[in-house]
């Protein structure tokens, strides 16, 4: 196995932006899929086969970056929804507190006070 042989096999992956970490990720994924360690008799042929069945347009590090960006976007959207719900709750609470001093509440207090006075006169 010469360096030139490896270079020929890895050239297409490198041209698509694959890194050493991406190659390791492919190997790890294949080992998980098989459920065992990889011990090919012909490592160069195995790597060529693995790269041929891989979509080289999407190196693993690019897919990871996309997944992280989507996760961050989803977390930001959830955070914004939570913030909106908290603000709405605060607005409703403030309105409820303001309604305690509104004209309807004042009228109800006046009626309750009159009823209490009438009851006081009856019991005296």
């Amino acid at each position: 196995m010469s360096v030139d042989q490896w270079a020929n096999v890895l050239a297409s992956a490198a041209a698509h932006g694959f890194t050493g970490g991406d190659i390791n990720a492919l190997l790890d994924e294949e080992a998980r899929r098989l459920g065992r360690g990889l011990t090919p008799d012909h490592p160069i042929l195995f790597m060529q086969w693995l790269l041929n069945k891989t979509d080289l347009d999407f190196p693993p590090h690019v897919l990871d970056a996309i997944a992280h960006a989507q996760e961050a976007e989803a977390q930001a959207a959830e955070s914004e929804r939570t913030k909106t719900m908290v603000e709405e709750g605060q607005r409703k609470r403030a309105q409820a507190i303001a309604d305690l001093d509104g004209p309807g509440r004042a009228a109800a207090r006046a009626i309750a006070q009159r009823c209490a006075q009438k009851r006081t006169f009856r019991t005296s």
Side-chain angles (χ1 to χ4, degrees):
M1 293 184 273
S2 73
V3 172
D4 289 338
Q5 290 173 313
W6 278 108
N8 287 335
V9 169
L10 297 173
S12 63
H16 283 87
F18 272 68
T19 65
D22 292 332
I23 298 296
N24 286 334
L26 287 177
L27 292 168
D28 290 344
E29 183 179 319
E30 188 64 20
R32 276 192 301 277
R33 188 185 70 75
L34 294 173
R36 60 182 173 82
L38 299 177
T39 55
D41 292 331
H42 304 285
I44 289 179
L45 293 176
F46 176 76
M47 181 59 68
Q48 190 172 27
W49 169 80
L50 185 60
L51 290 173
N52 283 340
K53 74 176 203 142
T54 300
D55 186 354
L56 296 180
D57 290 331
F58 299 101
H61 78 275
V62 172
L63 295 176
D64 287 344
I66 291 169
H68 287 299
Q70 288 174 338
E71 184 178 327
E73 186 178 316
Q75 287 177 348
E78 182 62 27
S79 177
E80 187 60 33
R81 277 192 296 278
T82 300
K83 180 183 172 190
T84 300
M85 288 173 56
V86 167
E87 289 171 351
E88 179 68 12
Q90 289 172 338
R91 188 192 62 73
K92 287 181 177 180
R93 181 176 184 273
Q95 183 63 48
I97 290 171
D99 288 346
L100 291 176
D101 292 330
R105 179 75 174 190
R109 265 195 243 119
I111 291 171
Q113 204 169 25
R114 277 186 284 180
C115 289
Q117 288 172 350
K118 286 181 183 179
R119 187 163 188 233
T120 304
F121 291 134
R122 286 188 208 153
T123 58
S124 308

